[in-house]
Amino acid sequence: MKRPGPLLTLLAGLLLAVFMLTLNATTGTKNASSSSPETSPGATPQASPPPTSAPPSSSPPPPSKSAPPNADYAGRTDDNSSAVAVSLRGGRAIAYFCDGRSKESWLKGDVKDDGTMKLTGKNGAELNGTLKDGTSIRGTVDLGGQRYAFTADKAVKPSGLYRATATVRGAKLDGGWIVLPGGKQVGILDRDGKPAAAPTIDPESATVTVDGQTLTASPVTP
């Protein structure tokens, strides 16, 4: 038998080389495909984390209460010895305490949104009161070392608080009047520093005659 010739040996070597090249190329392609980042079928997608919600903003403060409405109040002390009138305007108040003979005091101050008030006058006089549902004021007056509890109901004209000042025949006059609901009056007329019971005023015209001269008493407001 004859040995294969050099040509056959060379051909076999070429075929082997082609086979090895083809095998390497196929293996490289498979490896590249297996390293792909694509998600395999059936894999559950990862949900993105929910956005962080901003902290809730602080709620606005509640609106402040409005000042007590403008009104006038008049009434008597619990012992029925004196009268008290209070006039409210724009969060301010002026009050008059009077026993109709010799004891009186004018007091002023602020009224809080909740209806409470602390009014002060001369010689340490003080009124502490609370507005009740806009219909009355309940409180106390401290005057001359005594305390007087009172209730003043809402007054409708001509009820209310009046004052008149004038000079008549050289005398300085200062009169204060409380016209109570029902028409009764309590007042003091101070003549040159000497207090005495005041003459009655006409509730319709708010006029009063003193020493033959007609004076007009004006409604008192803060």
Side-chain angles (χ1 to χ4, degrees):
M1 175 180 291
K2 294 183 180 180
R3 294 183 179 180
L7 182 60
L8 292 177
T9 301
L10 178 61
L11 180 61
L14 289 174
L15 291 175
L16 180 60
V18 171
F19 174 76
M20 293 301 295
L21 289 174
T22 303
L23 181 60
N24 289 338
T26 303
T27 303
T29 303
K30 288 182 179 182
N31 290 338
S33 298
S34 63
S35 63
S36 172
E38 293 181 1
T39 304
S40 61
T44 303
Q46 296 294 325
S48 59
T52 304
S53 58
S57 59
S58 57
S59 57
S64 60
K65 295 181 180 179
S66 59
N70 298 341
D72 299 312
Y73 300 84
R76 300 192 67 90
T77 57
D78 290 359
D79 62 6
N80 205 36
S81 67
S82 308
V84 179
V86 184
S87 177
L88 274 61
R89 297 292 187 278
R92 294 280 297 170
I94 185 169
Y96 182 53
F97 172 93
C98 172
D99 69 355
R101 296 179 299 277
S102 61
K103 190 177 294 186
E104 66 176 347
S105 180
W106 292 93
L107 309 102
K108 297 179 180 181
D110 295 326
V111 183
K112 295 182 179 180
D113 292 346
D114 61 1
T116 59
M117 64 192 77
K118 181 177 180 179
L119 315 182
T120 57
K122 293 181 179 180
N123 302 319
E126 185 173 294
L127 182 152
N128 290 277
T130 301
L131 181 62
K132 302 291 187 179
D133 299 325
T135 60
S136 65
I137 295 175
R138 179 65 182 169
T140 59
V141 174
D142 293 287
L143 179 65
Q146 296 185 17
R147 173 167 291 181
Y148 303 85
F150 73 91
T151 299
D153 295 323
K154 193 171 184 178
V156 179
K157 287 184 177 181
S159 298
L161 179 57
Y162 297 85
R163 191 173 191 176
T165 57
T167 299
V168 178
R169 297 181 182 179
K172 292 182 179 180
L173 305 179
D174 186 358
W177 290 264
I178 298 173
V179 180
L180 298 166
K184 189 173 182 178
Q185 300 182 21
V186 181
I188 286 180
L189 179 65
D190 188 294
R191 181 186 275 105
D192 283 337
K194 298 178 180 180
T200 301
I201 64 172
D202 181 347
E204 296 300 328
S205 62
T207 57
V208 58
T209 301
V210 179
D211 297 337
Q213 184 169 331
T214 301
L215 304 179
T216 299
S218 303
V220 179
T221 57

